[in-house]
Coordinates of all heavy atoms in Angstrom, one line a residue:
M7 N 102.5 95.3 103.3 CA 102.9 95.0 101.9 C 103.2 96.3 101.1 O 102.4 96.7 100.3 CB 101.7 94.3 101.2 CG 102.1 93.2 100.3 SD 100.7 92.6 99.3 CE 99.5 92.2 100.4
T8 N 104.3 96.9 101.4 CA 104.7 98.1 100.7 C 106.0 98.0 100.0 O 107.0 97.5 100.7 CB 104.7 99.3 101.6 OG1 105.5 99.0 102.8 CG2 103.3 99.7 102.1
N9 N 106.1 98.3 98.8 CA 107.4 98.3 98.1 C 107.3 99.5 97.1 O 106.5 99.4 96.2 CB 107.6 97.0 97.4 CG 109.0 96.9 96.8 OD1 109.5 97.8 96.2 ND2 109.6 95.8 97.1
E10 N 108.1 100.5 97.3 CA 107.9 101.7 96.6 C 108.3 101.5 95.1 O 107.9 102.3 94.3 CB 108.7 102.8 97.2 CG 108.1 103.3 98.5 CD 108.9 104.3 99.3 OE1 109.9 104.8 98.7 OE2 108.6 104.6 100.4
S11 N 109.1 100.5 94.8 CA 109.5 100.4 93.4 C 108.5 99.6 92.6 O 108.7 99.5 91.4 CB 110.9 99.7 93.3 OG 110.8 98.3 93.8
C12 N 107.5 99.0 93.2 CA 106.6 98.1 92.5 C 105.1 98.5 92.9 O 104.8 98.4 94.1 CB 106.9 96.7 92.9 SG 105.7 95.5 92.2
T13 N 104.4 98.9 91.9 CA 102.9 99.1 92.2 C 102.1 97.9 92.1 O 101.0 97.9 92.5 CB 102.4 100.2 91.2 OG1 102.7 99.7 89.9 CG2 103.1 101.5 91.4
H14 N 102.6 96.8 91.4 CA 101.9 95.6 91.2 C 101.6 94.9 92.6 O 100.5 94.5 92.8 CB 102.6 94.6 90.4 CG 103.0 95.1 89.0 ND1 104.3 95.5 88.7 CD2 102.3 95.3 87.9 CE1 104.4 95.9 87.5 NE2 103.2 95.8 87.0
L15 N 102.6 94.9 93.5 CA 102.4 94.2 94.7 C 101.4 95.0 95.6 O 100.6 94.4 96.3 CB 103.7 94.1 95.5 CG 104.8 93.2 94.8 CD1 106.1 93.2 95.5 CD2 104.3 91.7 94.8
S16 N 101.5 96.3 95.6 CA 100.6 97.0 96.5 C 99.1 97.0 96.0 O 98.2 97.3 96.7 CB 101.1 98.5 96.7 OG 101.3 99.1 95.4
A17 N 99.0 96.6 94.7 CA 97.6 96.6 94.1 C 96.9 95.3 94.5 O 95.7 95.2 94.3 CB 97.7 96.6 92.6
I18 N 97.6 94.4 95.1 CA 96.9 93.1 95.5 C 96.3 93.2 96.9 O 96.9 93.4 97.9 CB 98.0 92.0 95.5 CG1 98.4 91.7 94.1 CG2 97.4 90.7 96.1 CD1 99.5 90.8 93.9
A19 N 94.9 93.1 96.8 CA 94.2 93.3 98.1 C 94.0 91.9 98.8 O 94.1 91.8 100.0 CB 92.8 93.9 97.8
E20 N 93.8 90.9 98.0 CA 93.6 89.6 98.6 C 94.5 88.6 97.8 O 94.4 88.5 96.6 CB 92.1 89.2 98.5 CG 91.8 87.9 99.3 CD 90.3 87.6 99.3 OE1 89.5 88.6 99.0 OE2 90.0 86.5 99.6
V21 N 95.3 87.9 98.5 CA 96.3 87.0 97.8 C 95.6 85.7 97.4 O 94.9 85.0 98.2 CB 97.4 86.7 98.8 CG1 98.4 85.6 98.2 CG2 98.2 87.9 99.1
K22 N 95.7 85.3 96.2 CA 95.1 84.1 95.6 C 96.0 82.9 96.1 O 97.2 82.9 96.0 CB 95.1 84.1 94.1 CG 94.1 85.0 93.5 CD 94.1 84.9 92.0 CE 93.0 85.6 91.3 NZ 93.1 87.1 91.5
R23 N 95.3 81.9 96.6 CA 96.0 80.7 97.1 C 95.7 79.6 96.0 O 94.7 79.6 95.3 CB 95.5 80.2 98.5 CG 95.6 81.3 99.5 CD 97.1 81.6 99.8 NE 97.8 80.5 100.3 CZ 99.2 80.4 100.3 NH1 99.9 81.4 99.9 NH2 99.8 79.3 100.8
P24 N 96.6 78.5 96.0 CA 96.4 77.5 95.0 C 95.1 76.7 95.2 O 94.8 76.4 96.4 CB 97.6 76.6 95.1 CG 98.1 76.9 96.5 CD 97.7 78.3 96.8
S25 N 94.4 76.3 94.2 CA 93.2 75.4 94.3 C 93.7 74.0 94.4 O 93.1 73.2 95.1 CB 92.3 75.6 93.2 OG 92.9 75.6 91.9
R26 N 94.8 73.7 93.7 CA 95.4 72.3 93.8 C 96.9 72.5 93.9 O 97.5 73.3 93.2 CB 95.1 71.5 92.5 CG 93.6 71.4 92.2 CD 93.5 70.6 90.9 NE 94.0 69.3 91.0 CZ 93.2 68.2 90.8 NH1 91.9 68.4 90.5 NH2 93.6 67.0 90.9
L27 N 97.5 71.6 94.7 CA 99.0 71.7 94.9 C 99.7 70.9 93.9 O 100.3 69.9 94.1 CB 99.3 71.3 96.3 CG 99.0 72.3 97.4 CD1 99.4 71.8 98.8 CD2 99.8 73.6 97.2
E28 N 99.6 71.4 92.6 CA 100.3 70.7 91.5 C 100.5 71.8 90.4 O 99.7 72.7 90.3 CB 99.5 69.5 91.0 CG 98.1 69.9 90.5 CD 97.3 68.6 90.2 OE1 97.5 67.6 90.9 OE2 96.4 68.7 89.3
C29 N 101.5 71.6 89.6 CA 101.7 72.4 88.4 C 100.8 72.0 87.3 O 101.0 70.8 86.8 CB 103.2 72.4 88.0 SG 103.4 73.3 86.4
S30 N 99.9 72.8 86.8 CA 98.9 72.4 85.8 C 99.6 72.0 84.5 O 99.1 71.2 83.8 CB 97.8 73.4 85.7 OG 98.4 74.7 85.4
E31 N 100.7 72.6 84.2 CA 101.4 72.3 83.0 C 102.3 71.1 83.1 O 102.3 70.3 82.2 CB 102.3 73.5 82.6 CG 101.6 74.8 82.2 CD 100.6 74.6 81.0 OE1 101.1 73.9 80.0 OE2 99.5 75.1 81.0
C32 N 102.9 70.9 84.2 CA 103.8 69.7 84.4 C 102.9 68.4 84.4 O 103.3 67.4 83.9 CB 104.5 69.8 85.7 SG 106.0 70.8 85.6
I33 N 101.7 68.6 85.0 CA 100.8 67.4 85.0 C 100.5 66.9 83.6 O 100.4 65.8 83.3 CB 99.4 67.8 85.7 CG1 99.7 68.0 87.2 CG2 98.3 66.9 85.4 CD1 99.9 66.7 88.0
K34 N 100.3 67.9 82.7 CA 99.9 67.6 81.3 C 101.0 66.8 80.6 O 100.8 65.9 79.8 CB 99.7 68.8 80.5 CG 98.4 69.5 80.8 CD 98.3 70.7 79.8 CE 97.3 71.8 80.4 NZ 97.5 73.1 79.7
I35 N 102.3 67.1 80.9 CA 103.4 66.5 80.2 C 104.1 65.4 81.0 O 105.1 64.9 80.6 CB 104.4 67.6 79.7 CG1 105.0 68.4 80.9 CG2 103.8 68.5 78.7 CD1 106.1 69.4 80.5
G36 N 103.6 65.2 82.2 CA 104.2 64.2 83.1 C 105.6 64.6 83.6 O 106.4 63.7 83.9
A37 N 105.8 65.9 83.8 CA 107.1 66.4 84.3 C 107.0 66.5 85.9 O 105.9 66.6 86.4 CB 107.5 67.7 83.7
R38 N 108.2 66.7 86.5 CA 108.3 66.9 87.9 C 108.5 68.4 88.2 O 109.0 69.1 87.3 CB 109.4 66.1 88.5 CG 109.2 64.7 88.5 CD 110.5 63.9 88.8 NE 110.3 62.5 88.9 CZ 110.1 61.8 90.0 NH1 110.3 62.4 91.2 NH2 109.9 60.5 90.0
W39 N 108.2 68.8 89.4 CA 108.5 70.2 89.8 C 109.1 70.2 91.2 O 109.1 69.2 91.8 CB 107.2 71.0 89.7 CG 106.1 70.5 90.7 CD1 106.0 70.8 92.0 CD2 105.1 69.7 90.3 NE1 104.9 70.1 92.5 CE2 104.3 69.4 91.5 CE3 104.6 69.1 89.1 CZ2 103.2 68.6 91.5 CZ3 103.5 68.3 89.1 CH2 102.8 68.0 90.3
V40 N 109.6 71.4 91.5 CA 110.3 71.5 92.8 C 109.4 72.2 93.8 O 109.0 71.7 94.8 CB 111.7 72.2 92.7 CG1 112.3 72.3 94.1 CG2 112.6 71.4 91.8
H41 N 109.1 73.5 93.4 CA 108.2 74.3 94.3 C 107.0 74.8 93.4 O 107.2 74.9 92.2 CB 108.9 75.5 94.9 CG 109.9 75.0 95.9 ND1 111.3 75.4 95.7 CD2 109.8 74.3 97.0 CE1 112.0 74.8 96.7 NE2 111.1 74.2 97.5
L42 N 106.0 75.3 94.0 CA 104.8 75.8 93.3 C 104.6 77.3 93.6 O 104.8 77.8 94.7 CB 103.6 75.0 93.7 CG 103.6 73.5 93.2 CD1 102.5 72.8 93.9 CD2 103.6 73.4 91.7
R43 N 104.1 78.0 92.6 CA 103.8 79.4 92.6 C 102.4 79.6 92.1 O 102.0 78.9 91.2 CB 104.8 80.2 91.8 CG 106.2 79.9 92.0 CD 106.7 80.3 93.4 NE 108.1 80.1 93.7 CZ 108.5 79.4 94.7 NH1 107.6 78.9 95.6 NH2 109.8 79.2 95.0
T44 N 101.7 80.6 92.6 CA 100.3 80.9 92.1 C 100.3 82.3 91.5 O 100.6 83.3 92.2 CB 99.3 80.8 93.3 OG1 99.3 79.4 93.8 CG2 97.9 81.0 92.8
C45 N 99.8 82.3 90.2 CA 99.7 83.6 89.5 C 98.6 84.4 90.2 O 97.5 83.9 90.4 CB 99.4 83.4 88.1 SG 99.1 84.9 87.2
Q46 N 98.9 85.7 90.5 CA 98.0 86.5 91.2 C 97.0 87.2 90.3 O 96.1 87.9 90.7 CB 98.7 87.5 92.1 CG 99.5 86.9 93.2 CD 98.6 86.0 94.1 OE1 97.7 86.6 94.8 NE2 98.8 84.7 94.2
E47 N 97.2 87.1 89.0 CA 96.3 87.6 88.0 C 95.2 86.7 87.7 O 94.0 87.0 87.7 CB 97.1 88.0 86.7 CG 96.4 89.0 85.8 CD 96.5 90.4 86.4 OE1 97.5 90.8 87.0 OE2 95.5 91.1 86.2
C48 N 95.5 85.4 87.4 CA 94.5 84.4 86.9 C 94.4 83.2 87.8 O 93.5 82.4 87.6 CB 94.9 84.0 85.5 SG 96.4 83.0 85.4
G49 N 95.2 83.1 88.8 CA 95.1 82.0 89.8 C 95.7 80.7 89.3 O 95.6 79.7 90.0
A50 N 96.5 80.7 88.2 CA 97.1 79.5 87.8 C 98.2 79.1 88.7 O 99.0 80.0 89.2 CB 97.7 79.7 86.4
T51 N 98.3 77.8 89.1 CA 99.4 77.3 89.9 C 100.4 76.6 89.1 O 100.1 75.7 88.3 CB 98.9 76.5 91.0 OG1 98.0 77.3 91.9 CG2 100.0 75.9 91.9
L52 N 101.7 77.1 89.1 CA 102.7 76.6 88.2 C 104.0 76.4 88.9 O 104.2 76.9 90.1 CB 102.9 77.6 87.0 CG 101.6 77.8 86.2 CD1 101.6 79.1 85.4 CD2 101.4 76.6 85.2
C53 N 105.0 75.8 88.3 CA 106.3 75.5 89.0 C 107.3 76.6 88.9 O 107.3 77.5 88.1 CB 106.8 74.2 88.4 SG 107.1 74.2 86.7
C54 N 108.2 76.6 89.9 CA 109.2 77.6 90.2 C 110.4 77.6 89.2 O 110.5 76.6 88.4 CB 109.6 77.5 91.6 SG 110.7 76.1 91.8
D55 N 111.3 78.5 89.4 CA 112.5 78.6 88.5 C 113.5 77.5 88.9 O 114.4 77.2 88.1 CB 113.1 79.9 88.7 CG 112.4 81.0 87.9 OD1 111.4 80.7 87.2 OD2 112.8 82.2 88.0
S56 N 113.4 76.8 90.0 CA 114.2 75.7 90.3 C 113.7 74.4 89.6 O 114.4 73.4 89.6 CB 114.3 75.4 91.8 OG 114.8 76.6 92.4
S57 N 112.5 74.4 89.1 CA 111.9 73.3 88.4 C 112.4 73.2 87.0 O 112.7 74.3 86.4 CB 110.4 73.3 88.5 OG 110.0 73.5 89.8
P58 N 112.5 72.0 86.4 CA 113.1 71.9 85.0 C 112.3 72.8 84.0 O 112.9 73.3 83.0 CB 113.0 70.4 84.7 CG 112.7 69.7 85.9 CD 112.3 70.7 87.0
N59 N 111.0 72.9 84.1 CA 110.2 73.6 83.1 C 109.9 75.0 83.4 O 109.4 75.7 82.5 CB 109.0 72.8 82.8 CG 109.3 71.4 82.2 OD1 109.7 71.4 81.0 ND2 109.1 70.4 82.9
Q60 N 110.1 75.5 84.6 CA 110.0 76.9 85.0 C 108.7 77.5 84.5 O 108.6 78.6 83.9 CB 111.2 77.7 84.5 CG 112.5 77.2 85.0 CD 113.7 78.0 84.6 OE1 113.6 78.9 83.7 NE2 114.8 77.8 85.3
H61 N 107.6 76.8 84.7 CA 106.3 77.2 84.1 C 105.8 78.5 84.6 O 105.1 79.3 83.9 CB 105.2 76.1 84.3 CG 105.4 75.0 83.3 ND1 105.5 73.6 83.7 CD2 105.6 74.9 82.0 CE1 105.7 72.9 82.7 NE2 105.7 73.6 81.6
A62 N 106.1 78.9 85.9 CA 105.6 80.1 86.4 C 106.2 81.3 85.7 O 105.5 82.3 85.3 CB 105.8 80.2 87.9
S63 N 107.5 81.3 85.5 CA 108.1 82.5 84.9 C 107.8 82.5 83.4 O 107.7 83.6 82.8 CB 109.6 82.5 85.1 OG 110.3 81.4 84.8
K64 N 107.7 81.3 82.7 CA 107.2 81.3 81.3 C 105.8 81.9 81.2 O 105.5 82.6 80.3 CB 107.2 79.8 80.8 CG 108.6 79.3 80.4 CD 108.5 77.9 79.9 CE 109.8 77.3 79.7 NZ 109.8 75.8 79.6
H65 N 105.0 81.5 82.2 CA 103.6 82.1 82.2 C 103.6 83.6 82.3 O 102.9 84.3 81.6 CB 102.8 81.4 83.3 CG 101.5 82.0 83.5 ND1 100.4 81.6 82.8 CD2 101.0 82.9 84.4 CE1 99.3 82.2 83.3 NE2 99.7 83.1 84.2
A66 N 104.5 84.1 83.2 CA 104.6 85.5 83.4 C 105.0 86.3 82.2 O 104.5 87.3 81.8 CB 105.5 85.8 84.6
R67 N 106.0 85.7 81.5 CA 106.5 86.3 80.3 C 105.5 86.3 79.2 O 105.3 87.2 78.4 CB 107.8 85.6 79.8 CG 109.1 86.1 80.6 CD 110.3 85.7 79.8 NE 110.4 84.3 79.5 CZ 111.0 83.4 80.4 NH1 111.5 83.9 81.5 NH2 111.1 82.2 80.1
A68 N 104.8 85.1 79.0 CA 103.9 84.9 77.9 C 102.6 85.8 78.1 O 102.0 86.2 77.1 CB 103.5 83.5 77.8
T69 N 102.1 85.9 79.3 CA 100.9 86.6 79.6 C 101.0 88.0 80.0 O 100.0 88.7 80.0 CB 100.1 85.8 80.6 OG1 100.8 85.8 81.8 CG2 99.8 84.4 80.2
G70 N 102.2 88.4 80.6 CA 102.3 89.7 81.2 C 101.7 89.7 82.6 O 101.5 90.8 83.1
H71 N 101.4 88.6 83.2 CA 100.9 88.6 84.5 C 102.1 88.7 85.5 O 102.9 87.8 85.5 CB 100.2 87.3 84.8 CG 98.9 87.1 84.0 ND1 98.2 85.9 84.0 CD2 98.2 87.9 83.3 CE1 97.1 86.0 83.2 NE2 97.1 87.3 82.8
P72 N 102.2 89.8 86.2 CA 103.4 90.2 86.8 C 103.7 89.5 88.1 O 104.9 89.2 88.4 CB 103.3 91.7 87.1 CG 101.9 91.9 87.2 CD 101.2 90.9 86.3
V73 N 102.7 89.2 88.9 CA 103.0 88.8 90.3 C 102.6 87.3 90.6 O 101.5 86.9 90.2 CB 102.2 89.7 91.3 CG1 102.4 89.3 92.8 CG2 102.6 91.2 91.1
I74 N 103.4 86.6 91.3 CA 103.1 85.3 91.8 C 103.2 85.3 93.3 O 103.9 86.1 93.9 CB 104.2 84.2 91.3 CG1 105.6 84.7 91.6 CG2 103.9 83.9 89.8 CD1 106.6 83.6 91.6
A75 N 102.5 84.3 94.0 CA 102.7 84.1 95.4 C 103.3 82.7 95.5 O 103.0 81.8 94.7 CB 101.4 84.1 96.1
S76 N 104.1 82.5 96.6 CA 104.5 81.1 96.9 C 103.3 80.3 97.2 O 102.4 80.7 97.9 CB 105.5 81.1 98.0 OG 105.8 79.7 98.4
A77 N 103.2 79.1 96.6 CA 102.1 78.2 97.0 C 102.6 77.1 98.0 O 101.8 76.2 98.2 CB 101.6 77.5 95.7
Q78 N 103.8 77.3 98.5 CA 104.3 76.3 99.5 C 103.6 76.6 100.8 O 103.5 77.7 101.3 CB 105.8 76.5 99.6 CG 106.6 76.2 98.3 CD 106.3 74.8 97.8 OE1 105.8 74.7 96.7 NE2 106.6 73.8 98.6
P79 N 103.2 75.5 101.5 CA 102.6 75.7 102.8 C 103.5 76.4 103.7 O 104.7 76.1 103.8 CB 102.3 74.2 103.3 CG 102.3 73.4 102.0 CD 103.2 74.1 101.0
G80 N 103.0 77.4 104.4 CA 103.8 78.1 105.4 C 104.6 79.3 104.8 O 105.1 80.1 105.6
E81 N 104.7 79.4 103.5 CA 105.4 80.5 102.9 C 104.4 81.6 102.5 O 103.4 81.3 101.9 CB 106.2 80.1 101.7 CG 107.4 79.2 102.0 CD 108.2 78.9 100.8 OE1 108.0 79.5 99.7 OE2 109.2 78.1 100.9
R82 N 104.7 82.8 102.9 CA 103.7 83.9 102.7 C 104.5 85.1 102.0 O 104.8 86.0 102.7 CB 103.1 84.3 104.0 CG 102.2 83.2 104.6 CD 101.7 83.6 106.0 NE 100.8 84.7 105.9 CZ 99.5 84.6 105.6 NH1 98.9 83.5 105.4 NH2 98.7 85.7 105.6
W83 N 104.8 84.9 100.7 CA 105.4 86.0 100.0 C 104.9 86.1 98.6 O 104.5 85.2 98.0 CB 107.0 85.9 100.1 CG 107.5 84.6 99.6 CD1 108.0 83.6 100.4 CD2 107.8 84.1 98.3 NE1 108.5 82.5 99.7 CE2 108.4 82.9 98.3 CE3 107.6 84.7 97.0 CZ2 108.7 82.1 97.2 CZ3 107.9 84.0 95.9 CH2 108.5 82.7 96.0
L84 N 105.1 87.3 98.1 CA 104.7 87.6 96.7 C 105.9 88.1 96.0 O 106.8 88.7 96.6 CB 103.7 88.8 96.7 CG 102.3 88.5 97.4 CD1 101.7 89.8 97.7 CD2 101.4 87.7 96.5
Y85 N 106.0 87.8 94.7 CA 107.1 88.3 93.9 C 106.6 88.9 92.6 O 105.7 88.3 91.9 CB 108.1 87.1 93.6 CG 109.3 87.5 92.8 CD1 110.3 88.2 93.4 CD2 109.4 87.2 91.4 CE1 111.4 88.6 92.6 CE2 110.5 87.5 90.7 CZ 111.5 88.2 91.3 OH 112.6 88.6 90.6
C86 N 107.2 90.0 92.2 CA 106.8 90.7 90.9 C 108.0 90.4 90.0 O 109.1 90.9 90.2 CB 106.6 92.2 91.1 SG 106.3 93.0 89.6
Y87 N 107.7 89.8 88.9 CA 108.8 89.5 87.9 C 109.4 90.7 87.2 O 110.6 90.9 87.2 CB 108.3 88.5 86.8 CG 108.2 87.1 87.2 CD1 107.0 86.5 87.5 CD2 109.3 86.3 87.4 CE1 106.9 85.2 87.9 CE2 109.2 85.0 87.8 CZ 108.0 84.4 88.0 OH 107.9 83.1 88.4
P88 N 108.5 91.6 86.6 CA 109.1 92.7 85.9 C 109.9 93.7 86.9 O 110.9 94.2 86.4 CB 107.9 93.5 85.3 CG 106.7 92.9 85.9 CD 107.1 91.5 86.4
D89 N 109.5 93.8 88.1 CA 110.2 94.7 89.0 C 111.2 94.0 89.9 O 111.9 94.6 90.7 CB 109.2 95.5 89.9 CG 108.3 96.4 89.0 OD1 108.9 97.0 88.1 OD2 107.1 96.5 89.3
E90 N 111.2 92.7 89.9 CA 112.1 91.9 90.8 C 111.9 92.3 92.2 O 112.8 92.5 93.0 CB 113.5 92.0 90.3 CG 113.7 91.4 88.9 CD 115.2 91.5 88.5 OE1 116.0 91.9 89.3 OE2 115.5 91.0 87.4
A91 N 110.6 92.5 92.6 CA 110.3 92.9 93.9 C 109.6 91.8 94.7 O 108.8 91.1 94.2 CB 109.3 94.1 93.9
L92 N 110.0 91.7 96.0 CA 109.5 90.7 96.9 C 108.8 91.3 98.1 O 109.3 92.4 98.6 CB 110.7 89.8 97.3 CG 110.4 88.6 98.2 CD1 109.8 87.5 97.3 CD2 111.8 88.1 98.7
A93 N 107.7 90.8 98.5 CA 107.0 91.3 99.7 C 106.4 90.2 100.4 O 105.9 89.2 99.8 CB 105.9 92.3 99.3
E94 N 106.4 90.2 101.7 CA 105.7 89.3 102.6 C 104.3 89.8 102.8 O 104.0 91.0 102.6 CB 106.4 89.1 103.9 CG 107.8 88.5 103.7 CD 108.4 87.9 105.0 OE1 107.7 88.0 106.0 OE2 109.5 87.4 105.0
Y95 N 103.4 88.9 103.1 CA 102.0 89.4 103.4 C 101.5 88.7 104.6 O 102.1 87.7 105.1 CB 101.1 89.1 102.1 CG 100.8 87.7 101.8 CD1 99.8 87.0 102.4 CD2 101.7 87.0 100.9 CE1 99.6 85.7 102.1 CE2 101.4 85.7 100.6 CZ 100.4 85.0 101.2 OH 100.2 83.7 100.9
Ligands
LIG232 ZN1 105.8 95.2 89.9
LIG233 ZN1 105.5 73.1 85.7
LIG234 ZN1 98.3 84.3 85.2

């Protein structure tokens, strides 16, 4: 997990996995999602940018939490929004 342009990714020692496979914000409003992402700062699981509500990137902008992990089964990657950096783990 090394990416020289991003210190956020290398700071993650243990990757947070989703506690539930659903977008906590979409559930509240009855919306659908496409893929799920888990915030590596607070553990919130939210929907991806292909989803109509893009809750994961809205969360990142609103909170300043930089890094998400894919919450899709079998996918093992992290993404940092401010640095647009991707890393597998
Ligand atoms: Zn970063
Ligand atoms: Zn959502
Ligand atoms: Zn967060």
